[in-house]
């Protein structure tokens, strides 16, 4: 027994040392991961979901609703009068559209959701009672939409980014697609010949070897990630804080998804700490990039329902984002990580060759969607041959399955072909030339006008995608969306967070939008919504709202003692 104790002790010691080393390595890598998270709640998916579950609903009553920042009485009265004037104008101007919206809402779950999340929840009861946003439209012409009452609006919704070339282009492409695919009809499984031309064009545009067709952007992202996992034999995907890549669970690990995404890392975009994680971890299959984030790195899509103060910020720096993408590219190449550029939103909007061309970076895979469908729903992946393959030559039963009934639908493929062929025209080449200069100049003009009038609003833009930012601490910025509608500007449900212009806006169209924008902001100021206590800051507003939230969650005592 005694004789054995030497080797046994040594073995135990060695095992202990090995376990300790493993623990230290694990701890270090955990620590590196924590450091690579963005400090905001969006950077901490689990925590944000847990905290979201703790917030109880409460609403301001009629007397509080215009006094949430303790304004002088005449300001509260002016706000109330302005709000009611808008409500009357909506009722008189949009009666049929409002009637149909109210009648249909009960049966349309999505409409109930979007209508509920237009403004911060404390204000929503009053808004829903008086300023219901009409949900129906009758027709589109040029850059305008017409509702059921014959009102015309400049369209700033951009149809979630689909509308790049103007609705008339897509109407034409769908009509021609119906004609071209009509002889075959909705035959699925076999391909319409137009598919071959689409594939050739997409390979040329992306500079990648193979193409895969899907029904939506979300599906394309799902499949790209699945393929990356299959080929790298690694588990995790990396997305950056705030970036939207569709509603699939793994790319939506925080609020919005009822279960945690266990194989997703959400990292701080444009940070050295994130690069360190990518350099050192061995479980990362792919990194997803949404270049729209260049406008507001690490921030979520800027919905007006989150406008509790004026802290929303945005600024696009093309050179800085290009440098970041180059660093990311290099690290991914060194560590065998698949770099997926999600060009579903900005792809054809910034350049015909999308992010790769615009920022000068090569991707392993690119996902496309939205406008590429020529007005019909689509998702596409282009990728390197070795990543797109769905089976292994040496393991016949080990496949990566991704097929969908409607993939490569003949009508969608024909409409896509209209879009792709349009990209080759002299008209399209001319349109892309000077695009940024044009939209930057337009944003500058509007900002100048707003500054001259000392209105506390500015816009920031990534080409034709704009966001509105607010320059003085205020609690009612979310009201601007309703003033804009009253001036004939149509916004999507996220309100002033995202204005999307189609590229057929002429200078005259834009000038009309700018006039209306300024008029809306002037009216809102006249009605007192931008009054603020000179001592107020965004921080003090946030603190006050937090106190209210805690008081409603844990009882009045918290409010008094806070
Ligand atoms: C960058 C990006 N990826 C993916 C998606 C999801 O596409 P879809 O809504 O077609 O599923 C979107 C949609 O907005 C997007 O902007």
């Amino acid at each position: 027994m005694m004789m054995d104790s030497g080797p046994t002790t040594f073995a135990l010691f060695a095992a202990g040392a090995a376990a300790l080393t493993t623990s230290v390595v694990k701890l270090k890598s955990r620590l590196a991961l924590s450091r690579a998270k963005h400090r905001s709640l969006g950077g901490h998916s689990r925590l944000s979901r847990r905290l979201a579950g703790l917030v109880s609903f409460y609403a301001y009553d009629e007397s509080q609703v215009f006094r949430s920042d303790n304004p002088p009485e005449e300001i509260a009265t002016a706000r109330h009068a302005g709000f009611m004037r808008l409500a009357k104008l909506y009722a008189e101007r949009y009666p049929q559209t409002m009637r149909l919206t109210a009648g249909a809402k009960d049966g349309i779950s999505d409409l109930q959701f979007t209508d509920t999340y237009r403004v911060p929840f404390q204000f929503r009861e009053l808004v829903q009672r008086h300023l219901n946003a009409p949900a129906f439209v009758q027709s589109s012409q040029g850059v305008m939409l017409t509702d059921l009452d014959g009102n015309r609006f400049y369209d700033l919704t951009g149809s979630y980014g689909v509308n790049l070339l103007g609705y008339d282009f897509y109407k034409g492409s769908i009509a021609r697609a119906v004609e071209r695919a009509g002889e075959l009809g909705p035959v699925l499984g076999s391909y319409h010949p137009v598919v071959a031309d689409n594939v050739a064009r997409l390979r040329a545009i992306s500079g990648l070897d193979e193409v895969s067709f899907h029904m939506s952007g979300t599906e394309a992202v799902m499949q790209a990630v699945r393929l990356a996992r299959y080929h790298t034999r690694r588990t995790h995907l990396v997305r950056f804080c705030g970036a939207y890549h569709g509603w699939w669970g793994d790319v939506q690990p925080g609020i919005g998804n009822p279960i945690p995404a266990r194989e997703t890392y959400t990292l701080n975009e444009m940070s050295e700490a994130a690069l360190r994680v990518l350099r050192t971890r061995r479980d990362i299959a792919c990194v997803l990039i949404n270049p729209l984030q260049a406008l507001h790195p690490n921030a979520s899509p800027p919905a007006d329902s989150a406008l509790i103060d004026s802290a929303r910020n945005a600024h696009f720096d093309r050179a800085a984002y290009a440098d970041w993408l180059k660093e990311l590219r290099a690290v991914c190449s060194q560590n065998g990580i698949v770099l997926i550029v999600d060009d579903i939103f900005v792809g054809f909007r910034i350049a015909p060759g999308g992010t790769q061309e615009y920022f000068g970076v090569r991707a392993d895979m690119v996902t496309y969607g939205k406008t590429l469908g020529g007005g019909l729903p689509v998702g596409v992946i282009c990728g390197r041959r070795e990543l797109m393959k769905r089976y292994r030559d040496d393991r016949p039963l080990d496949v990566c399955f991704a097929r969908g009934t409607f993939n490569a639908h003949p009508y969608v493929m024909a409409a896509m072909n209209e879009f792709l062929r349009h990209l080759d025209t002299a008209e399209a080449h001319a349109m892309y030339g000077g695009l940024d200069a044009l939209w930057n100049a337009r944003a500058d003009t509007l900002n100048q006008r707003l500054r001259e009038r000392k209105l506390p609003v500015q816009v920031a833009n990534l080409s034709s995608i704009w966001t509105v930012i607010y320059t003085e601490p205020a609690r009612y910025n979310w009201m601007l969306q309703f003033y804009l509608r009253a001036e004939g500007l149509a916004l999507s449900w996220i309100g002033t967070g995202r204005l999307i212009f189609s590229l057929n806006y002429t200078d005259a169209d834009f000038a009309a939008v700018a006039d209306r924008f300024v008029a809306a902001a002037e009216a809102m100021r006249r009605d007192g919504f931008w009054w603020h206590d000179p001592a107020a800051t965004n921080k003090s507003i946030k603190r006050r709202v937090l106190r209210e939230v805690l008081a409603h969650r844990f009882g009045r005592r918290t409010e008094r003692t806070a």
Side-chain angles (χ1 to χ4, degrees):
M1 289 291 281
M2 289 294 282
M3 292 285 286
D4 274 355
S5 78
T8 309
T9 311
F10 178 74
L12 282 175
F13 178 76
L20 189 68
T21 311
T22 313
S23 310
V24 169
V25 170
K26 270 197 179 151
L27 194 71
K28 261 180 86 174
S29 111
R30 236 349 304 141
L31 216 63
L33 203 54
S34 300
R35 289 211 184 99
K37 291 185 176 182
H38 191 254
R39 62 182 188 288
S40 66
L41 267 183
H44 298 76
S45 311
R46 277 164 199 247
L47 181 66
S48 63
R49 280 179 46 247
R50 230 170 277 148
L51 289 179
L54 292 177
V55 176
S56 307
F57 176 76
Y58 64 93
Y60 296 139
D61 63 27
E62 289 251 12
S63 81
Q64 289 172 305
V65 86
F66 301 112
R67 294 178 178 81
S68 69
D69 49 357
N70 297 342
E73 203 41 42
E74 69 269 19
I75 292 291
T77 309
R79 287 172 178 173
H80 191 188
F83 185 91
M84 286 314 191
R85 199 182 59 247
L86 273 186
K88 186 161 173 281
L89 182 144
Y90 274 39
E92 285 170 3
R93 206 184 270 173
Y94 318 129
Q96 290 197 57
T97 317
M98 298 267 268
R99 206 171 306 125
L100 190 60
T101 304
K105 194 166 153 180
D106 194 41
I108 306 180
S109 326
D110 199 38
L111 179 55
Q112 290 166 30
F113 176 78
T114 52
D115 239 16
T116 302
Y117 287 89
R118 275 177 209 282
V119 302
F121 68 83
Q122 297 89 341
F123 299 96
R124 80 177 182 217
E125 282 189 355
L126 188 81
V127 168
Q128 285 189 317
R129 212 173 318 135
H130 296 287
L131 284 181
N132 259 322
F136 290 86
V137 276
Q138 189 74 50
S139 61
S140 62
Q141 320 74 26
V143 295
M144 312 289 287
L145 298 176
T146 304
D147 72 7
L148 314 189
D149 300 283
N151 300 293
R152 281 161 59 79
F153 299 87
Y154 284 93
D155 179 50
L156 304 180
T157 73
S159 284
Y160 300 118
V162 170
N163 185 18
L164 179 69
L165 301 173
Y167 292 116
D168 296 322
F169 172 83
Y170 300 95
K171 287 183 196 174
S173 78
I174 291 170
R176 286 188 297 277
V178 169
E179 214 170 283
R180 287 175 72 192
E183 203 182 333
L184 179 62
V187 175
L188 301 166
S190 310
Y191 296 127
H192 187 284
V194 78
V195 171
D197 189 50
N198 287 347
V199 169
R201 287 173 189 274
L202 285 165
R203 288 168 74 173
I205 285 168
S206 66
L208 292 161
D209 308 313
E210 295 187 16
V211 181
S212 163
F213 296 108
H214 304 272
M215 283 304 298
S216 69
T218 299
E219 268 191 65
V221 170
M222 284 167 77
Q223 171 64 352
V225 172
R226 179 182 277 196
L227 281 166
R229 285 172 164 158
Y230 177 69
H231 288 291
T232 59
R233 298 176 197 265
R234 299 177 185 172
T235 48
H236 281 65
L237 74 86
V238 164
R239 67 181 274 272
F240 290 105
C241 180
Y244 185 68
H245 296 285
W247 62 272
W248 169 48
D250 280 19
V251 290
Q252 204 183 34
I255 295 172
N257 178 1
I259 58 164
R262 296 190 192 284
E263 270 116 18
T264 299
Y265 295 131
T266 297
L267 303 185
N268 184 354
E269 187 152 19
M270 301 182 84
S271 85
E272 184 49 45
L275 293 178
R276 209 169 304 129
V277 165
L278 293 169
R279 242 180 245 124
T280 49
R281 289 196 78 92
R282 291 278 165 262
D283 57 350
I284 297 172
C286 59
V287 174
L288 275 165
I289 283 291
N290 178 356
L292 178 57
Q293 293 301 110
L295 182 57
H296 41 66
N298 291 301
S300 303
D304 279 3
S305 59
L307 268 183
I308 59 164
D309 58 14
S310 303
R312 180 197 276 171
N313 204 358
H315 171 68
F316 174 51
D317 182 340
R318 180 174 175 175
Y321 203 72
D323 288 347
W324 159 247
L325 290 186
K326 277 173 200 140
E327 283 190 88
L328 203 55
R329 172 69 276 176
V331 173
C332 287
S333 300
Q334 281 158 21
N335 203 10
I337 296 170
V338 179
L339 180 63
I340 305 172
V341 166
D342 183 351
D343 250 352
I344 287 166
F345 198 122
V346 301
F348 296 98
R349 192 166 276 276
I350 51 180
T355 295
Q356 298 193 97
E357 177 184 339
Y358 188 82
F359 291 107
V361 67
R362 303 286 308 150
D364 298 312
M365 285 179 166
V366 182
T367 52
Y368 300 105
K370 296 204 191 256
T371 193
L372 175 58
L376 294 178
V378 84
V380 166
I381 312 173
C382 295
R384 286 181 20 224
R385 190 177 303 288
E386 63 275 25
L387 294 171
M388 296 293 278
K389 193 168 171 137
R390 294 161 183 201
Y391 55 90
R392 301 190 203 283
D393 291 327
D394 58 343
R395 296 276 185 279
L397 300 187
D398 182 2
V399 297
C400 182
F401 188 81
R403 311 213 58 225
T405 304
F406 288 108
N407 296 0
H409 189 290
Y411 290 78
V412 177
M413 290 295 113
M416 179 188 293
N417 195 250
E418 295 293 324
F419 177 81
L420 289 171
R421 284 192 304 135
H422 179 79
L423 292 185
D424 266 352
T425 61
E427 186 190 343
H429 292 168
M431 177 192 83
Y432 280 114
L435 199 59
D436 272 8
L438 176 72
W439 287 100
N440 291 346
R442 286 177 175 173
D444 286 347
T445 311
L446 179 57
N447 280 336
Q448 180 68 23
R449 289 183 64 182
L450 293 164
R451 268 195 306 270
E452 278 164 9
R453 284 164 181 73
K454 297 195 169 25
L455 286 159
V457 197
Q458 291 281 276
V459 294
N461 71 305
L462 191 172
S463 203
S464 52
I465 307 166
W466 293 26
T467 185
V468 177
I469 49 188
Y470 299 90
T471 57
E472 288 173 16
R475 285 213 65 181
Y476 294 88
N477 296 319
W478 47 267
M479 273 299 295
L480 183 58
Q481 60 182 298
F482 301 104
Y483 283 90
L484 291 172
R485 172 167 281 276
E487 289 295 332
L489 303 180
L491 270 53
S492 79
W493 70 280
I494 69 169
T496 63
R498 183 153 302 150
L499 315 181
I500 305 170
F501 292 90
S502 47
L503 302 186
N504 59 329
Y505 262 88
T506 62
D507 285 342
D509 293 328
F510 180 75
V513 168
D515 286 347
R516 289 159 189 241
F517 195 103
V518 171
E522 295 269 23
M524 175 151 156
R525 177 167 61 186
R526 266 197 310 277
D527 289 339
F529 283 107
W530 276 316
W531 174 90
H532 66 90
D533 183 332
T537 60
N538 289 325
K539 243 193 193 149
S540 71
I541 296 176
K542 264 200 196 76
R543 234 181 278 130
R544 181 180 174 138
V545 175
L546 183 64
R547 273 201 301 272
E548 284 174 11
V549 167
L550 290 174
H552 282 89
R553 174 71 190 167
F554 299 111
R556 295 278 150 195
R557 196 131 48 101
T558 321
E559 191 175 36
R560 265 182 261 124
T561 53

